Amino acid sequence: PSSQQPFRLLFSALDTHATTELASNMARSRIFIGAAGVGIGLAVGYCLPKMHVLVGIAKPLEDLLTPLVPKPSLRLRYFNFSGRGEQVRWALAAGKVPFVDEHVTSEAWPSLKASSKSGALPDLSVGGIGTFCQSEAILRYAGRLGGTYPTDPVRALAVDEVLGMNAEVIDLANLPGHASIFLPGDPAKYTATAGKMISEKKLPALLQTWEHMLAKNGSGYFVGREPTIADFAVASTIDMLRTGFYESCHSISPKVVDGFPRLNALVDLIKDIPGVHRYREEKQ
């Protein structure tokens, strides 16, 4: 009927408007997506040729931002000697990460051992979160807080490689005394024999590999131009070897580090880091 004609014209107009609006929106969307694609393409095209420059500024930027990140309250528990705890202490001190350095006495340890997480030390209490064990895990965490564990995957791999070798060196240095407990015969005789063999053959081969790695990198450190947790770990181990830490119980001669000038220089480099130097002075 003619009375319905105005409504048909109105609906037709509305439908045309909606179709036009939809087409307009789709066109704008295509333009936006196209512009975004061009932008991403330009960004990638600009950044890829300059990736070496971006990598170069990543570490200084990380060093700038790291002190601004709030750090949790930390309590490190270990015995009052170097062992597996010193590398963590040095990493935290070098990274200016505040922590409570709690020393557990040999008299107190038996009663604390049953309630500890793994029946061993060190452990690290992170305020409001919990307590964590395993020295290498704690060391990596300390490195992340202090900026001495690389964020770059390849550099982190290089650091982890050194940490793995450090675990081998420590296991070898501990072997004579520990193994003698489970072997028949005179423990002291076995410890002396095994300690001599490890000091003269096994350990020098691993230390020589480290010496070559330091020579190849050329900075005095294992990875890059700045100290990392790999350097704290190895420096602590070399310091224990050369000061006779492994001699009394495991018959590992302090002379095992003679003839490795770069490794001995690394210990001195680490001890001269202001935070480490200050920590060692306060500890004495």
Side-chain angles (χ1 to χ4, degrees), residues 184-196:
D186 183 3
K189 184 177 180 181
Y190 173 83
T191 299
T193 302
K196 185 175 186 296

Side-chain angles (χ1 to χ4, degrees), residues 63 69 91 98 106 109 143 174 234 239-240 248-249 251 263-264 281:
D63 292 342
V69 179
S106 56
W109 175 235
N174 282 319
V234 173
D239 195 43
M240 287 188 289
S248 59
C249 295
S251 296
L263 285 172
N264 283 285
E281 278 195 333

